[in-house]
Amino acid sequence: MGTCATCGNQYDNTFTVSKDGESFDFDSFECAIHKLAPTCVQCGCRVVGHGVQHGDTIFCCAHCAEMAGESGLVDHN
């Protein structure tokens, strides 16, 4: 029985995700997203898709990047 790294639920069907040399067990993709997905610096949502990036700064979309003062970033088609 595994324990979810986000919510602490003990579950018999957890899965493991490895990132940057660390491994985490989760009971759902939702918990994995909450723990591992980056956050848009403009609106605060979790970036689950491709998003856009300027240097180390991650945005969920080009609109949020523009609202934060970045120019020239475009959404992936």
Side-chain angles (χ1 to χ4, degrees):
M1 180 100 38
T3 302
C4 180
T6 299
C7 70
N9 182 37
Q10 290 191 336
Y11 186 58
D12 64 353
N13 199 18
T14 58
F15 59 94
T16 303
V17 176
S18 297
K19 182 180 183 203
D20 299 330
E22 292 186 83
S23 293
F24 305 93
D25 293 330
F26 298 104
D27 64 349
S28 66
F29 286 110
E30 180 181 9
C31 282
I33 288 167
H34 279 285
K35 177 103 175 146
L36 299 176
T39 304
C40 176
V41 299
Q42 178 63 27
C43 73
C45 76
R46 292 290 181 177
V47 181
V48 180
H50 293 284
V52 295
Q53 188 169 350
H54 181 262
D56 291 334
T57 306
I58 298 173
F59 302 94
C60 65
C61 62
H63 172 76
C64 276
E66 185 176 325
M67 296 299 295
E70 299 295 341
S71 60
L73 296 175
V74 295
D75 290 315
H76 295 277
N77 291 326

